[in-house]
C-alpha cells in the first residue's frame, strides 16, 4: 500500500498514539526532540556576520535523521507536527532543512490536543512554517549562548572551573539570594494583641481588640498593653453595631502553565519539573485499554485562559447534569488573559469530559491521576457559580477610665452556597485578598445596644516575621509577575539552579548555597543589566515582538550585543578574583599561632593559615546567624590512611561524604565514606554512600569498578528473614510509611515498621473565630 504522507512529531509515545488515529496510510515518526543545536565546544555564533548560528546535527540523533530520510523517500507529502510552540517550530525548521524536501509538499500542523477529532481537524487544516516564531526561538537561543559562553569562562577564572551563568537562570538565582539577604538582615519587632472573652445569656464568644477612638491601637510592648487593660477595668460593654453582608467568591480561571505548576506544588507537593513531566504524558496519550489511546489534556505549555466554544458547551452540560442547574451560571464565565499572553493555545483542560478521573484512574499511576484530577476539577469549577458567604461583623465598645472608646470586633462567615467550591477547594493564591474573615460563629442572640459581660482578656506577644524563603510555587509566581522567562521555561530554570549547586532545597524551600551567593554577588557587580529583572523582562517582550513579526531578530540581538560587549571587557579587568582572595580573621592557627585567613577552594570557602607555605593547616567553618565564624571540628574515624597511616576524617564534597587524610594537605589521600556494612556481592568491600550527578544519594561497593553492586535505598546490616540475603533496605513512602524490604526483588519480603512515617499531619477540623 502506497503511503500518503510522513508525519513527524517529537515524542515516540505521541507518534504511537497518532499512528493509531491516522491508520496505515500514514507513516508517523518521532524526532525525539531537537535534532540540531549549537556546538558545545565553541561559541557557534558569528557575531560579525549578523549573528549567524552554526547549527550542527546532535551526534546522538544521526540514526534518527537517517530513519526520517528513508521514510520521507516513500511519500509525496511531509507533515511537520512538532510541538505547537517556539521550540517545536525550530525543530520543524531543522527537520525540513535536513530532509531537503524538494518537490515534496511540506505542511506544518499544530496539535493542541492528542485526540482523534483534534488530529483529524489539524491534518485537514495544515499551515506553513512560521518564520517569525522560528526567528524568535533562534534569537533566544543565540542570546542565551552569548551570555552563557561569554560570562562562564570569567567565572571559571575567578571562582571555580566548570560552573556557568545563564541569562534567565542567573536572575532567578538572584531572587533567591536577595531573599536570603533580606532574611538575614531582618530585625524582628515586638508587637502585642489582645483577645477578649465576652458573654451574654451564659454563652461565651471571643473577640479581638480592634480600635481606640476609631484608630488602630499601637501595642509595641507589654507596658502599652497593661495601660490599655488597666484603663478597661470596670468598663460597661455594649454591642455597638452588627453588620451582616453577603460576599461572593468567583472561581479561578482554568489552568495556564504557571498556575498549574504553582497549584501542583501547593496542593500535591510536586516540583515544577515533575508537574511538566506528568502533564506531558497526559497530553501525549494514555492507553485506556478497550477505550483506545487518548490524550487526556490539551497542550500543557500555554499562558492563555481561553477555552474553545465546544468545550465550554460540554462542561456546562456536565455541570448541569452532575451538580444541578443551580450550580450553572446563566452564561459561560469568561476570563481575560494577561496582556503578554500568547493566545495560540487554549487553557489546560481535559480533552473530553467523557474521561472522568474516576473512569481512567485504573490506567494512570498515582501521581498522573492526582494531576489529572486537579486539572479536571479546576476546569469544571471555572464554569460554575461563585461561592456565597454570609459575613458577620460585631463591634463591642466601652468607655475606659480615660474617656476613650475601646472597641473589640468579632468576625465570622457561614458558607451559604457552595458554588464552585463543591468541586475545587479555595486557595489564597488564586485570590490575593485571601479569606480574611473568620470561621463559623457560635453566638448568643445579639442586638445593637445589648449589654455584654467581659469575662476576661488575654494579651499575646508576637514578633514580626522575615519574608519567607521561596518555594516552587512562590518562585514561579514571582518569575511570572516580573516577566522573567516564560511559563514553558520555569521548570528548567528551577532544575538548572539546583543541578548547578547554586541552591539547595530543604523542606521544599530554596536556600542559596555559598557558591550561588558568591556567583550572584560577582555578576551583580559586573553585569548589573543582565542580573536585572526589568531588563530580562524587556528582553522577553522583544522576543515576543520578533514572534509577532514586529521586530527584526538580528537588530534585536545587535542592540543587546554592543553594550554587553563593552561590559564584558570591563568585567574581565575588574571582576573580583575569589580564588586569590584572602580575607583576614582574628582566629589563631592551632599549629603555629599565626592568624587564619578565609580562602576559596573547589568546595567553597575554608580557613587557611596565613603562614602558608611554612604552615599548611586548614580548617572548615560555617557562619552563624550573626555572621560570626564557627569552626567545624574534624570528625575523626577509626580508619587509617593507606599511604601515611594517619587517621582519616569525614568530609563533605560535591558528591557527598568522603574520607580524607587528617594530615591534608601533606597527604591528599581520600577514600569513599563507608557505612561499615560488608558488600553482599563480593564479600570483600564495604558499602559506601555516594551521590549521583543529579545529586541523588545511592549506595555501592567501595571497591568499584571491581565490584559493581549498587542500590538506591539505604542499606541495613540485617539479613532478610525470608531468603537470608545479607542486607535489607530501608525506605519511606507516603503510602506505606517506613518499611524494610529485601534487596532481591524476586524475594518480595516487606516489613512495614511505621505506617505514619513521612506522612503530613492531618489538618485540624473545626472553625476559627478571628
Amino acid at each position: 500500500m502506497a503511503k500518503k504522507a510522513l508525519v513527524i512529531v517529537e515524542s515516540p509515545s505521541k507518534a504511537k498514539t497518532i499512528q493509531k488515529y491516522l491508520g496505515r496510510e500514514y507513516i508517523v515518526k518521532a524526532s525525539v526532540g531537537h535534532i540540531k543545536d549549537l556546538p558545545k565546544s565553541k561559541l557557534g555564533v558569528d557575531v560579525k556576520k549578523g549573528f549567524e548560528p552554526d547549527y550542527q546535527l546532535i551526534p546522538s540523533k544521526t540514526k534518527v535523521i537517517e530513519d526520517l530520510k528513508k521514510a520521507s523517500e516513500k511519500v509525496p507529502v511531509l507533515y511537520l507536527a512538532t510541538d505547537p510552540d517556539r521550540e517545536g517550530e525550530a525543530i520543524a525548521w531543522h527537520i525540513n532543512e535536513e530532509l531537503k524536501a524538494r518537490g515534496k509538499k511540506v505542511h506544518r500542523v499544530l496539535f493542541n490536543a492528542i485526540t482523534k477529532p483534534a488530529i483529524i481537524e489539524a491534518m485537514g487544516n495544515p499551515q506553513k512554517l512560521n518564520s517569525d516564531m522560528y526567528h524568535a526561538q533562534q534569537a533566544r537561543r543565540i542570546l542565551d549562548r552569548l551570555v552563557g559562553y561569554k560570562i562562564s569562562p570569567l567565572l571559571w577564572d575567578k571562582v571555580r572551573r566548570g560552573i556557568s551563568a545563564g541569562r534567565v537562570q542567573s536572575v532567578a538565582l538572584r531572587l533567591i539570594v536577595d531573599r536570603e539577604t533580606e532574611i538575614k538582615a531582618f530585625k524582628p519587632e515586638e508587637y502585642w494583641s489582645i483577645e477578649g472573652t465576652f458573654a451574654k445569656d451564659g454563652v461565651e464568644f471571643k473577640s479581638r481588640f480592634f480600635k481606640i477612638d476609631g484608630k488602630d491601637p499601637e501595642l509595641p510592648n507589654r507596658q502599652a498593653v497593661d495601660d490599655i487593660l488597666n484603663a478597661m477595668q470596670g468598663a460597661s460593654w455594649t454591642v455597638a453595631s452588627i453588620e451582616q453582608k453577603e460576599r461572593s467568591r468567583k472561581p479561578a480561571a482554568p489552568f495556564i502553565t504557571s498556575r498549574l505548576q504553582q497549584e501542583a506544588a501547593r496542593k500535591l507537593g510536586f516540583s515544577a519539573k515533575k508537574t511538566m513531566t506528568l502533564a506531558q504524558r497526559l497530553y501525549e496519550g494514555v492507553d485506556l485499554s478497550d477505550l483506545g489511546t487518548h490524550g487526556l489534556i490539551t497542550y500543557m505549555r500555554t499562558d492563555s485562559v481561553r477555552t474553545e466554544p465546544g468545550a465550554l458547551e460540554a462542561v456546562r452540560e456536565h455541570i448541569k447534569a452532575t451538580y444541578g442547574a443551580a450550580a450553572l451560571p446563566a452564561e459561560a464565565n469568561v476570563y481575560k488573559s494577561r496582556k503578554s499572553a500568547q493566545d495560540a493555545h487554549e487553557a489546560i483542560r481535559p480533552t473530553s469530559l467523557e474521561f472522568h478521573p474516576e473512569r481512567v484512574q485504573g490506567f494512570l499511576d498515582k501521581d498522573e491521576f492526582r494531576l489529572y484530577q486537579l486539572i479536571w476539577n479546576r476546569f469544571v469549577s471555572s464554569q460554575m457559580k461563585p461561592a456565597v458567604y454570609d459575613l458577620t461583623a460585631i463591634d463591642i465598645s466601652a468607655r475606659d477610665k480615660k474617656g476613650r472608646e475601646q472597641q473589640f470586633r468579632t468576625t465570622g462567615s457561614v458558607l451559604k452556597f457552595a458554588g464552585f467550591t463543591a468541586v475545587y477547594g479555595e486557595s489564597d493564591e488564586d485570590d490575593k485578598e485571601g479569606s480574611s474573615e473568620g470561621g463559623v460563629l457560635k453566638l448568643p442572640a445579639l442586638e445593637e445596644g445589648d449589654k455584654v459581660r467581659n469575662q476576661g482578656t488575654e494579651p499575646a506577644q508576637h514578633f514580626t516575621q522575615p519574608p519567607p524563603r521561596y518555594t516552587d510555587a512562590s518562585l514561579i509566581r514571582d518569575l511570572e509577575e516580573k516577566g522573567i522567562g516564560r511559563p514553558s521555561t520555569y521548570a528548567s530554570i528551577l532544575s538548572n539552579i539546583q543541578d548547578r549547586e547554586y541552591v539547595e532545597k530543604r523542606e521544599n524551600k530554596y536556600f542559596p548555597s555559598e557558591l550561588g551567593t558568591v556567583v550572584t554577588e560577582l555578576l551583580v557587580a559586573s553585569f548589573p543589566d543582565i542580573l536585572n529583572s526589568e531588563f530580562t523582562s524587556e528582553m522577553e517582550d522583544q522576543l515576543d515582538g520578533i514572534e509577532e513579526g514586529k521586530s527584526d531578530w538580528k537588530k534585536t540581538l545587535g542592540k543587546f550585543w554592543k553594550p554587553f560587549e563593552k561590559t564584558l571587557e570591563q568585567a574581565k579587568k575588574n571582576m573580583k578574583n575569589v580564588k586569590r582572595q584572602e580575607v583576614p580573621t582574628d582566629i589563631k592557627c592551632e599549629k603555629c599561632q599565626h592568624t587564619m585567613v578565609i580562602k576559596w577552594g573547589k568546595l567553597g570557602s575554608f580557613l587557611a593559615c596565613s603562614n602558608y607555605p611554612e604552615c599548611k593547616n586548614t580548617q572548615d567553618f560555617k557562619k552563624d546567624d550573626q555572621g560570626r565564624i564557627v569552626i567545624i571540628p574534624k570528625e575523626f574515624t577509626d580508619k587509617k590512611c593507606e599511604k601515611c597511616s594517619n587517621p582519616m576524617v569525614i568530609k563533605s564534597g560535591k558528591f557527598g561524604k568522603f574520607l580524607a587524610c587528617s594530615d591534608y594537605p601533606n597527604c591528599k589521600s581520600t577514600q569513599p565514606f563507608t557505612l561499615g556494612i560488608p558488600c553482599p556481592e563480593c564479600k570483600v568491600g564495604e558499602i559506601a554512600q555516594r551521590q549521583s550527578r543529579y545529586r541523588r544519594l545511592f549506595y555501592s561497593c567501595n571497591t568499584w569498578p571491581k565490584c559493581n553492586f549498587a542500590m538506591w535505598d539505604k542499606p541495613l546490616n540485617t539479613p532478610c528473614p525470608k531468603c537470608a540475603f545479607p542486607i535489607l533496605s530501608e525506605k519511606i513512602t507516603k503510602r506505606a510509611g517506613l518499611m524494610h524490604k529485601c534487596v532481591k526483588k524476586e524475594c518480595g519480603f516487606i516489613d512495614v515498621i511505621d505506617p505514619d512515617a513521612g506522612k503530613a499531619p492531618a489538618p485540624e477540623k473545626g472553625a476559627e473565630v478571628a
Side-chain angles (χ1 to χ4, degrees), residues 16 26 30 33 90 119 131 194 245-246 325 332 343 350 352 421 427 434 472 543-544 576 590 596 668 727:
K16 184 179 178 182
Y26 291 85
I119 299 299
S131 60
I194 302 173
K245 61 182 179 180
E246 190 177 87
D343 205 44
S352 173
T421 62
S427 168
D472 272 28
L543 292 170
D544 290 343
K576 182 170 64 177
E590 60 186 350
M596 302 289 279
K668 299 180 179 180
I727 63 173

Side-chain angles (χ1 to χ4, degrees), residues 180-187:
E180 193 69 20
T181 302
E182 289 180 57
I183 292 170
K184 289 181 177 178
F186 182 81
K187 303 294 183 185

